[in-house]
Amino acid sequence: MDSLSRRRFLKITGASIAAATAVTSLNSVVKGAKTIEEKNGSVVKGIQKIPTYCDLCFWKCGAIAYVDNGKLWKIEGNPIDPLSNGRLCPRGTGGVGASFDNERLKTPLIRKSVRGEDQWVKATWDEALDLIANKMKKIKTNYGPESLAFFSHGIGGNFLKHTFKAYGTNNITAPSFAQCRGPREIGFELTFGDVVGSPERTDIKNTKCLVLLGSHLGENMHNTQVQEFADAVGAGATVIVVDPRFSVAASKAKHYLPIKPGTDIALLLSWMNVLVTEGLYDKDYVEKYGFGFEQFAAEIQEYTPEWAYTRTGIEPAVIRETAREMGKNKPATLVHPGRHATWYGDDAQRARSVALLNALLGSWGRKGGFYTPYKFGLPGYPYPEYPKPEREPADNPGKKYPFAEGELLSTGLREATITGNPYPIKGWFVYATNLMQALPNQQETIKAIQNLDLLVVVDVVPSEIAGWADVILPEATYLERYDDISDSPFKEGFIALRQPAIDPPHDQKPNWWIAKKLADKLGLSNYFPWKNVEEYLDTRLKSAGLSLNEFKKTGIIKRPPKPIYFEDGVQPFFWTQSGKIEFYSLKLKEHGFDPVPKFTAPEEPPAGFFRLLYGRSPVHTFSKTQTNPILNDMMSENEVWVNADIAGRYGVKNGQYIKLKNSDGVISNKVKVKVTERIRTDCVYMVHGFGQTSIRNRKTYLKGASDAQLVTKYKMDPLMGGTGMNVNFVTFEMEV
Amino acid sequence: MHELTTTRHNHLIDPVLHVWGWEIPVYLFLGGMVAGMMIISGYFLFKGKTKNTDCSCFLAPLISIVLLSLGMFALFLDLEHKLYVWRLYTTFEITSPMSWGAWILLLVYPALIANIIIRFPDKLSDRFPKLKELSNKFAGKYFLIKNIGIINMMLGAMLGMYTGVLLSTLAARPLWNTSILWLLFLTSGLSGAAAFIHMIAKDVEERELLAKADNGFLTIEIFVIALMLIGLLTSTEVHKDAATLLISGSFAPVFWVFVVGLGIIIPLFIQLLAVNHKIKHTPLAPVFVILGGLILRFVIVQAGQVSHYINAHF
Amino acid sequence: MSRFGMAIDTVRCVGCMDCVVACKTENKVPEGFNRDWITEEAFGNFPNIQLEIRTERCNHCEEAPCVDCCPTGASHYHDTGGVVLVNHNECIGCKACVASCPYDARFIHPDGYADKCTFCIHRVEKGEDPACVSVCPTHCMTFGDLDDPNSKISKLVKSRKWHVLKPEAGTKPHIYYLT
Ligand SMILES: Nc1nc2c(c(=O)[nH]1)N[C@H]1C(S)=C(S)[C@@H](COP(=O)(O)OP(=O)(O)OC[C@H]3O[C@@H](n4cnc5c(=O)[nH]c(N)nc54)[C@H](O)[C@@H]3O)O[C@H]1N2
Ligand SMILES: Nc1nc2c(c(=O)[nH]1)N[C@H]1C(S)=C(S)[C@@H](COP(=O)(O)OP(=O)(O)OC[C@H]3O[C@@H](n4cnc5c(=O)[nH]c(N)nc54)[C@H](O)[C@@H]3O)O[C@H]1N2
Ligand code: SF4
Ligand code: SF4
Ligand code: SF4
Ligand code: SF4
Ligand code: SF4
Ligand SMILES: [Mo]
């Protein structure tokens, strides 16, 4: 993939939006937004409602913060926001706890002994930023600017990204690609020439048949998806859930398929086999848009339900029945592409299988399938050109993973930091990502950190990764700061504003301030022509004929509606090599991969071991909400789900504490057992993000067990370098 | 398999109800003892049997006042909103046993005081001449004394029953939800009171009399316990589960050993021997009875909180 | 007369606890206490499992034992909607009501009085939905007047199958779980 189809796609949508001049100006439904004058003055009496958007995860729901006599009270959904429809998810509703959190960092901290030893001196911002700037300058002179890597997750990193691009590095990454949706995007891109994106372009609301492979909606609380899921269930859509665990979504399903972990490709191939052999697929659609269907059809002939049964454990009759159900409801059948797709190392091909199944059903581009999203398309700030890095990014030397495109491999940068290949990485600047929990194999992360000359962490609490830093910078929470404007691709084009509801309680600073100040100290002031963030935002808005003052009242501005389905006039466009939906992938063929996905059986757990699976709790986001007093009160530790028969055999009781030991001998913290019928006998399950080891967070310290700690093995996706993490086996340690 | 989980985690409620600690059992026990003593002394007054019952008729009411005050103090300690305790007396809530209890207790004091005054001992006359005067005024007014006896008996009975009714109207806890609990607490209060007077009385005849009475009460108590358990066992599933808590569940050892064994059967046996003059009267039996009564309140209060409805969470 | 109640669609509810979080922030429920909570009840053996997820709270019973047993009258039926409320200034914290509730819906607030779900009467009297209802991302809760035959809740209760919790307790609860 020499040129990025994704980028091309976005450019095209951007252009078409720019053509649409009319901007729906909304009446200010939300009263009492703070003005800049008020903010600098005294406490405002009574209740103020301040529109902003949520930052408890990356969905970016529009919200309204309530401030009661100058004190933050609660936060609700913004009714005019198309993502939240006026209702936040539990994390969003508990978001005010992020501000109240008494574990928060208050001032910059500089490490005073060896890395990882928890000893710090308080510093002023000037001291801290001078230290960072000096080290960064040294790294630049000694190794080149690319030797500084920026790990950043979420929109809060935008301004710092700008600083680092100005500094000259292109090693900018997030754990959201190689540890999350990377394989999915590549699998879909190889098939349809476009990614699924975030928010997912899934038209769950209008689907008549929803197939969930893993995607545990209802526990995974990506707001709009859950709302639409409930609507679909309420409207009587057929739900088919494939999961080794009887998830919440499974309880809503007409068909629950308790699949053997890691065998989804086999099931997907056999579904496609049934659709093709029984002629249930969307023939017109495939004929019109498909490429290489014959080769594909010939290849999948052998994958009968009987063949799949021995691999997946799903009865042939069930496979046929569910395939027919999908065929019957096409094209309004949505086989959900999932999001956290880095499971078994064959993930891009699994995602491609999902894409192909959707292609057979004709659901891509169709109502009840995958809609065609569009953005508001707010122009960027007219910044000066960035210096051009002399070296390619270090994450994927020699293009080992030919399809690692669009974003960098976080684990690849870690590898480069350890090996110095293709060139040394000497500094990490980490913004809002807890790499200790996010990246597989913590020992490798620690090893990489030991090679660094500089590790800076910007966080709101003393997180685990902050514990390893040389300098910790305390950020203001999302309720206390401006951020960049959110401009997500969705069913409607809209932009959302994040603005402070209250001031930071201590010496915390917003990311834009840190980015600008650091740039000043690096001699890069010319990259920050604006005085403050309001000016930046206003400039961007003005370029679209809008103003910050108006925006502050509504928090959301929408474009007029546009068609989002093929049937409503969206022009189908497939940015693949053939310009069509590739049932047979030319690019994969070219790089020596299977042009039509093939199934390889996953490794079996050794006797007495169970595959470790993990997922989400509705009230937490990864490892970032555990210190939030409100959300901690909802769930303060995780449990390990153990099948009741297995529990009986091993004599573990419900509620008992045990430890888990993985096949590399790593032993977890003690964790409560949930004895349940709701999981297969060959795996155990836990919610990700617990068992944290930052001793300064009393609320989270060693509460529950950490799946990340037990993920010592990971399987690289040969296509795109994703890290399959469902490949670890654990056994029970009764002594705690 | 049936799996039930809840995210609720309220202090004092979860995983099982434990709103009441030692205070309420102590309050109920002391209330029961006082009730028993009021009935006993009231009975003697009513019957005019005042000759050899100095202890029952004078000391018992005096001690009752102390015990009752201690009991009320225990109750007060249990209140979570102590400053508002006066709210008990700004209203009378007809459906609330606790409200009844509050008002009954208010009436119990004058009744007990009247009782004391009737038999105000000469020994104390010098120190409280006014009371002696009052006492003298009562002397010979048999009708009045009789009525004071009746009132003491009635209020005693109400007090004794109330301690049981208080729990048994809390229908959400199947162990308490038995219509016989008032009788159990009443007999237990009577046996405790009889044992107590038996223990402290100086008069041999009085002691003998009360030991006999106590044996009667203890015998009845055994039947009441049996009836209660049978009643629960023949009721719904949740009531059966509740009875099981006492019969073979986690409270069984304490219940059988301390309440039934040491609290009823053994003292009954000892006292039977004593009243038949096979052995001497010892304070051992009454002490056992009294402790048994106290432990009974603890067991019932605690096990009752553990007993639960179907679909309760644990 | 009005008679407030809730109809909760267990088919839609995903047990996300948003209702619990919303109650916390709206009513400043102290840390460590819940006015509402989620109960999950699963029957069967893997993989044939039935799972009912319920959001639970005080049922605002028509025959409320907590009101009956209250010695001070602090626990009472509110004039509008028959909502069961506690008057903080009358409550002595005797805990009889806590023990009397078959649903364990009450607790003692750290300030000493008995507390529980109020059906967000402060919002309802302003014409708003209770906080938990208004936040629920699956729209599975309907709050309204059961005495009004034209209310959405009355229609739901009429047209759908439902059950209440512990009907055998005889409390006449007013939260209906639609199945
Ligand atoms: N509340 C909450 N919601 C979130 C997040 C959060 O942190 N908190 N994070 C968000 C983000 S960034 C992401 S990426 C998503 C992740 O959410 P999803 O994309 O839904 O994640 P999955 O990995 O699909 O979900 C884990 C489920 O997959 C099942 N599973 C495990 N192995 C297999 C298998 O081999 N086959 C099948 N069919 N199923 C399997 C597990 O049992 C579990 O139910 O959630 C998003 N939503
Ligand atoms: N073992 C395992 N690994 C995983 C996953 C898994 O389920 N299991 N999930 C994967 C997936 S899908 C993803 S998307 C990634 C997610 O990985 P991350 O995005 O790294 O998620 P978190 O662990 O929540 O780390 C977020 C950090 O940001 C900090 N933070 C919170 N708010 C702010 C703020 O306002 N400003 C700043 N500066 N910092 C803030 C938090 O304190 C926390 O330290 O992890 C991936 N890795
Ligand atoms: S899904 Fe929830 S946490 Fe994520 S942005 Fe929306 S409300 Fe916030
Ligand atoms: S918020 Fe709604 S979906 Fe979530 S648990 Fe509560 S009732 Fe269920
Ligand atoms: S649910 Fe409990 S607290 Fe609520 S009214 Fe009924 S008995 Fe009273
Ligand atoms: S705790 Fe308060 S509300 Fe409850 S019964 Fe006692 S006085 Fe009434
Ligand atoms: S109605 Fe109000 S008080 Fe009751 S549970 Fe819902 S939010 Fe809480
Ligand atoms: Mo993710």
Side-chain angles (χ1 to χ4, degrees):
Chain A
M1 282 196 196
D2 26 26
S3 76
L4 259 179
S5 51
R6 174 175 30 260
R7 283 187 199 136
R8 265 186 285 159
F9 171 79
L10 291 183
K11 229 179 263 158
I12 285 161
T13 39
S16 60
I17 284 164
T21 41
V23 171
T24 30
S25 82
L26 281 146
N27 294 335
S28 54
V29 289
V30 189
K31 299 256 155 52
K34 267 189 190 178
T35 64
I36 294 160
E37 293 81 47
E38 273 170 341
K39 217 191 87 191
N40 296 336
S42 53
V43 168
V44 181
K45 287 260 154 58
I47 288 174
Q48 290 173 281
K49 303 180 184 182
I50 296 150
T52 184
Y53 65 89
C54 179
D55 192 39
L56 271 282
C57 83
F58 310 113
W59 202 254
K60 307 191 191 81
C61 296
I64 296 172
Y66 284 64
V67 178
D68 185 357
N69 284 321
K71 281 217 174 99
L72 187 61
W73 170 25
K74 62 173 177 178
I75 187 159
E76 290 178 354
N78 186 340
I80 60 170
D81 164 51
L83 287 174
S84 72
N85 300 304
R87 293 172 182 231
L88 301 179
C89 89
R91 299 163 295 157
T93 306
V96 288
S99 179
F100 301 148
D101 193 343
N102 55 16
E103 316 270 20
R104 282 180 68 175
L105 293 163
K106 297 187 173 101
T107 60
L109 297 171
I110 296 174
R111 184 167 56 77
K112 76 167 184 211
S113 69
V114 289
R115 234 179 230 141
E117 256 180 37
D118 209 41
Q119 299 200 337
W120 308 89
V121 271
K122 286 185 186 158
T124 63
W125 278 94
D126 266 324
E127 287 163 359
L129 290 176
D130 280 337
L131 192 154
I132 295 167
N134 286 338
K135 287 232 177 154
M136 279 177 70
K137 283 181 198 157
K138 261 192 214 140
I139 289 173
K140 196 175 192 167
T141 346
N142 296 345
Y143 304 97
E146 303 87 355
S147 287
L148 188 95
F150 182 43
F151 293 79
S152 163
H153 202 179
I155 198 164
N158 277 16
F159 293 108
L160 280 160
K161 251 180 220 170
H162 173 59
T163 301
F164 289 106
K165 284 183 186 162
Y167 168 83
T169 184
N170 47 8
N171 283 316
I172 297 177
T173 189
S176 50
F177 184 76
Q179 283 71 45
C180 179
R181 52 199 173 86
R184 177 191 80 183
E185 306 301 32
I186 300 310
F188 270 68
E189 199 163 20
L190 285 165
T191 310
F192 297 113
D194 198 3
V195 300
V196 179
S198 175
E200 279 78 14
R201 48 163 74 185
T202 45
D203 192 15
I204 299 173
K205 189 184 187 76
N206 295 308
T207 198
K208 298 207 184 87
C209 175
L210 176 65
V211 185
L212 299 174
L213 298 130
S215 306
H216 52 332
L217 296 180
E219 293 163 282
N220 157 356
M221 277 312 287
H222 273 167
N223 196 352
T224 327
Q225 294 210 39
V226 176
Q227 295 191 13
E228 294 197 3
F229 176 55
D231 285 343
V233 169
T238 302
V239 178
I240 299 167
V241 170
V242 183
D243 199 311
R245 180 182 67 100
F246 190 86
S247 60
V248 166
S251 74
K252 314 289 178 199
K254 182 169 166 196
H255 302 280
Y256 167 55
L257 281 55
I259 197 166
K260 176 175 173 181
T263 64
D264 292 64
I265 294 183
L267 175 67
L268 287 157
L269 289 171
S270 73
W271 269 339
M272 293 194 268
N273 171 291
V274 176
L275 289 178
V276 171
T277 44
E278 298 192 5
L280 298 169
Y281 65 101
D282 191 335
K283 287 174 197 138
D284 292 346
Y285 183 94
V286 169
E287 193 155 316
K288 210 158 149 197
Y289 306 125
F291 168 84
F293 179 74
E294 278 71 38
Q295 284 129 301
F296 163 81
E299 265 208 43
I300 61 163
Q301 229 170 18
E302 58 178 295
Y303 306 130
T304 60
E306 286 69 21
W307 169 86
Y309 175 48
T310 56
R311 274 118 192 129
T312 62
I314 309 296
E315 305 269 353
V318 174
I319 298 179
R320 288 207 169 79
E321 195 188 346
T322 45
R324 286 173 196 148
E325 194 91 63
M326 289 183 227
K328 193 175 78 192
N329 290 299
K330 72 172 182 297
T333 294
L334 174 64
V335 187
H336 196 285
R339 183 174 174 110
H340 174 63
T342 46
W343 288 351
Y344 299 95
D346 58 0
D347 306 301
Q349 286 285 23
R350 186 184 64 251
R352 191 165 137 70
S353 311
V354 173
L356 288 172
L357 178 56
N358 279 298
L360 280 181
L361 295 161
S363 65
W364 182 264
R366 311 282 279 278
K367 189 170 180 179
F370 294 81
Y371 64 87
T372 311
Y374 66 104
K375 281 191 172 193
F376 186 98
L378 188 72
Y381 191 93
Y383 281 131
E385 279 284 306
Y386 296 121
K388 203 167 159 30
E390 278 166 24
R391 295 172 288 186
E392 288 281 296
D395 67 314
N396 188 15
K399 291 253 176 265
K400 185 168 170 207
Y401 304 105
F403 298 98
E405 288 282 351
E407 289 181 46
L408 304 201
L409 303 172
S410 47
T411 26
L413 288 181
R414 182 179 71 181
E415 184 71 15
T417 313
I418 296 172
T419 61
N421 177 40
Y423 50 85
I425 301 281
K426 284 296 173 186
W428 282 11
F429 199 103
V430 179
Y431 176 85
T433 167
N434 181 4
L435 298 177
M436 300 313 294
Q437 292 274 348
L439 303 183
N441 196 321
Q442 294 177 339
Q443 286 318 309
E444 283 181 48
T445 307
I446 292 169
K447 210 161 144 195
I449 288 172
Q450 303 296 17
N451 281 351
L452 296 173
D453 291 348
L454 175 67
L455 172 55
V456 181
V457 173
V458 188
D459 210 310
V460 285
V461 292
S463 61
E464 289 165 290
I465 186 68
W468 291 94
D470 303 332
V471 185
I472 306 178
L473 301 177
E475 202 190 359
T477 66
Y478 75 109
L479 292 161
E480 302 150 0
R481 67 177 194 237
Y482 280 103
D483 259 322
D484 210 349
I485 291 163
S486 156
D487 189 352
S488 300
F490 193 57
K491 287 180 173 176
E492 311 174 60
F494 72 99
I495 48 174
L497 175 70
R498 182 172 291 151
Q499 62 177 324
I502 50 164
D503 294 328
H506 309 97
D507 196 15
Q508 299 99 343
K509 297 284 182 196
N511 58 66
W512 65 265
W513 185 94
I514 302 171
K516 185 171 160 65
K517 197 85 176 169
L518 181 61
D520 286 347
K521 298 210 184 264
L522 288 166
L524 301 167
S525 306
N526 58 321
Y527 283 91
F528 285 83
W530 39 269
K531 273 205 305 293
N532 55 35
V533 71
E534 280 111 325
E535 191 183 307
Y536 162 89
L537 296 169
D538 206 36
T539 309
R540 281 193 71 189
L541 290 161
K542 285 228 169 75
S543 67
L546 306 165
S547 85
L548 180 59
N549 267 335
E550 278 306 300
F551 201 12
K552 284 168 76 169
K553 287 178 197 147
T554 62
I556 301 281
I557 298 175
K558 295 187 193 180
R559 287 277 184 206
K562 277 193 9 171
I564 53 170
Y565 307 120
F566 291 175
E567 57 265 44
D568 291 346
V570 170
Q571 198 52 42
F573 242 81
F574 305 102
W575 288 99
T576 53
Q577 196 149 321
S578 62
K580 292 194 154 195
I581 301 173
E582 294 204 344
F583 284 93
Y584 184 93
S585 167
L586 295 173
K587 281 211 183 114
L588 283 173
K589 173 90 182 144
E590 198 181 294
H591 284 92
F593 296 109
D594 298 330
V596 174
K598 281 193 166 56
F599 171 72
T600 342
E603 207 185 316
E604 295 289 331
F609 279 77
F610 307 90
R611 190 180 290 276
L612 174 66
L613 304 180
Y614 52 79
R616 308 283 173 249
S617 150
V619 291
H620 284 291
T621 303
F622 318 116
S623 74
K624 80 181 224 173
T625 48
Q626 279 76 1
T627 60
N628 176 317
I630 297 171
L631 297 176
N632 187 277
D633 201 14
M634 298 295 121
M635 180 186 185
S636 57
E637 59 182 283
N638 60 356
E639 298 173 316
V640 57
W641 292 38
V642 176
N643 173 280
D645 290 344
I646 297 297
R649 209 176 307 157
Y650 284 78
V652 276
K653 303 236 154 32
N654 194 36
Q656 178 187 347
Y657 280 97
I658 61 166
K659 287 181 174 176
L660 298 174
K661 182 161 110 185
N662 76 5
S663 42
D664 285 336
V666 172
I667 298 175
S668 76
N669 182 42
K670 69 178 176 140
V671 58
K672 239 189 222 171
V673 177
K674 175 187 169 91
V675 173
T676 179
E677 288 286 342
R678 290 175 57 190
I679 190 164
R680 285 174 62 99
T681 51
D682 54 3
C683 50
V684 296
Y685 172 86
M686 64 167 82
V687 167
H688 170 63
F690 286 86
Q692 294 184 24
T693 52
S694 175
I695 200 155
R696 281 163 304 158
N697 291 338
R698 287 167 304 261
K699 272 198 281 271
T700 64
Y701 182 62
L702 299 183
K703 290 282 163 61
S706 161
D707 59 323
Q709 183 197 12
L710 295 167
V711 176
T712 49
K713 290 196 182 8
Y714 55 96
K715 205 163 168 194
M716 298 300 289
D717 190 311
L719 273 64
M720 48 62 68
T723 56
M725 298 190 283
N726 286 9
V727 297
N728 291 273
F729 303 117
V730 295
T731 185
F732 307 139
E733 287 273 301
M734 299 299 186
E735 242 135 86
V736 293
Chain B
M1 186 154 160
H2 180 199
E3 291 172 36
L4 197 60
T5 60
T6 177
T7 65
R8 195 187 57 214
H9 51 264
N10 283 339
H11 178 59
L12 300 181
I13 317 295
D14 297 306
V16 288
L17 188 76
H18 53 291
V19 283
W20 286 328
W22 63 269
E23 297 92 340
I24 293 296
V26 165
Y27 164 68
L28 294 178
F29 166 73
L30 293 174
M33 285 273 287
V34 170
M37 293 202 267
M38 287 176 80
I39 294 171
I40 290 168
S41 67
Y43 175 79
F44 288 136
L45 289 181
F46 170 65
K47 281 279 170 191
K49 278 201 187 174
T50 47
K51 226 170 143 199
N52 294 315
T53 56
D54 225 36
C55 177
S56 307
C57 297
F58 173 73
L59 212 48
L62 198 63
I63 292 170
S64 286
I65 286 197
V66 178
L67 292 184
L68 193 63
S69 304
L70 284 176
M72 281 180 78
F73 187 63
L75 173 71
F76 176 74
L77 286 182
D78 179 67
L79 298 183
E80 306 283 345
H81 224 192
K82 296 192 174 53
L83 291 178
Y84 291 76
V85 62
W86 54 276
R87 284 288 188 184
L88 277 171
Y89 298 104
T90 55
T91 173
F92 171 63
E93 296 293 325
I94 193 154
T95 56
S96 164
M98 221 182 240
S99 184
W100 279 91
W103 290 103
I104 291 172
L105 285 169
L106 218 55
L107 299 176
V108 160
Y109 276 96
L112 281 172
I113 290 167
N115 195 347
I116 293 163
I117 290 170
I118 295 171
R119 299 286 307 261
F120 206 71
D122 296 334
K123 271 184 272 177
L124 293 177
S125 315
D126 297 347
R127 252 195 281 164
F128 303 98
K130 284 259 156 65
L131 289 177
K132 183 68 200 168
E133 254 171 59
L134 208 61
S135 175
N136 289 340
K137 278 188 192 157
F138 283 14
K141 298 201 170 117
Y142 292 113
F143 183 72
L144 182 69
I145 291 172
K146 223 172 178 150
N147 275 312
I148 289 175
I150 291 173
I151 286 172
N152 265 283
M153 275 165 73
M154 271 169 44
L155 283 172
M158 280 164 81
L159 179 60
M161 291 192 281
Y162 147 71
T163 62
V165 173
L166 173 66
L167 295 182
S168 64
T169 52
L170 302 176
R173 315 295 149 188
L175 182 70
W176 298 339
N177 186 215
T178 150
S179 53
I180 212 164
L181 199 63
W182 66 269
L183 192 55
L184 175 62
F185 279 14
L186 185 63
T187 41
S188 161
L190 279 165
S191 74
F196 185 66
I197 300 171
H198 165 206
M199 186 170 75
I200 59 168
K202 298 240 164 54
D203 191 293
V204 185
E205 235 170 277
E206 188 177 7
R207 276 166 61 175
E208 187 85 10
L209 191 62
L210 282 153
K212 279 182 187 156
D214 198 16
N215 286 348
F217 294 139
L218 289 171
T219 314
I220 298 172
E221 204 180 333
I222 291 175
F223 280 105
V224 175
I225 286 177
L227 276 178
M228 185 181 90
L229 293 178
I230 290 165
L232 286 168
L233 285 172
T234 52
S235 186
T236 67
E237 203 60 39
V238 294
H239 293 95
K240 252 182 248 175
D241 288 350
T244 312
L245 279 174
L246 298 187
I247 296 172
S248 55
S250 48
F251 290 88
V254 185
F255 178 70
W256 290 123
V257 175
F258 289 102
V259 176
V260 179
L262 289 171
I264 302 177
I265 297 185
I266 290 179
L268 180 60
F269 186 68
I270 296 174
Q271 285 179 170
L272 276 174
L273 291 177
V275 294
N276 290 314
H277 305 292
K278 297 267 173 9
I279 56 171
K280 270 202 197 153
H281 284 282
T282 71
L284 194 67
V287 165
F288 276 10
V289 171
I290 292 164
L291 285 179
L294 178 63
I295 294 167
L296 172 74
R297 302 314 192 282
F298 268 97
V299 168
I300 296 288
V301 169
Q302 298 310 333
Q305 295 187 85
V306 173
S307 79
H308 57 69
Y309 247 81
I310 13 176
N311 279 6
H313 299 296
F314 297 91
Chain C
M1 274 298 279
S2 55
R3 160 63 63 194
F4 290 143
M6 278 185 189
I8 294 169
D9 191 344
T10 60
V11 177
R12 295 178 78 108
C13 174
V14 294
C16 69
M17 296 177 82
D18 206 359
C19 44
V20 185
V21 181
C23 182
K24 282 242 150 181
T25 58
E26 174 71 29
N27 297 307
K28 305 196 172 89
V29 179
E31 232 175 278
F33 294 91
N34 303 108
R35 281 188 183 184
D36 55 346
W37 59 92
I38 307 302
T39 295
E40 289 190 353
E41 206 171 355
F43 296 93
N45 293 316
F46 190 83
N48 302 310
I49 292 165
Q50 292 266 34
L51 176 68
E52 181 172 286
I53 305 172
R54 295 188 298 261
T55 167
E56 298 185 357
R57 58 186 53 56
C58 166
N59 281 280
H60 296 274
C61 307
E62 200 165 323
E63 310 257 327
C66 58
V67 173
D68 285 349
C69 74
C70 177
T72 64
S75 282
H76 64 283
Y77 301 105
H78 188 61
D79 294 340
T80 36
V83 176
V84 174
L85 296 177
V86 180
N87 190 337
H88 302 172
N89 303 327
E90 287 175 16
C91 173
I92 58 172
C94 69
K95 297 171 279 196
C97 56
V98 180
S100 79
C101 171
Y103 308 98
D104 285 346
R106 291 181 168 234
F107 58 88
I108 297 294
H109 192 281
D111 290 345
Y113 53 84
D115 197 13
K116 65 170 194 70
C117 164
T118 59
F119 262 175
C120 280
I121 196 76
H122 65 290
R123 290 172 64 100
V124 171
E125 286 181 338
K126 279 191 282 178
E128 296 170 35
D129 265 335
C132 52
V133 175
S134 78
V135 80
C136 171
T138 70
H139 289 255
C140 74
M141 283 187 264
T142 307
F143 177 85
D145 184 1
L146 290 157
D147 279 355
D148 172 4
N150 294 317
S151 66
K152 194 176 163 212
I153 186 171
S154 296
K155 287 180 184 156
L156 276 172
V157 169
K158 218 174 283 162
S159 63
R160 294 271 303 265
K161 271 201 206 148
W162 51 262
H163 67 93
V164 294
L165 299 182
K166 302 177 193 173
E168 65 280 14
T171 53
K172 298 201 184 145
H174 283 113
I175 296 187
Y176 297 83
Y177 291 93
L178 309 175
T179 54

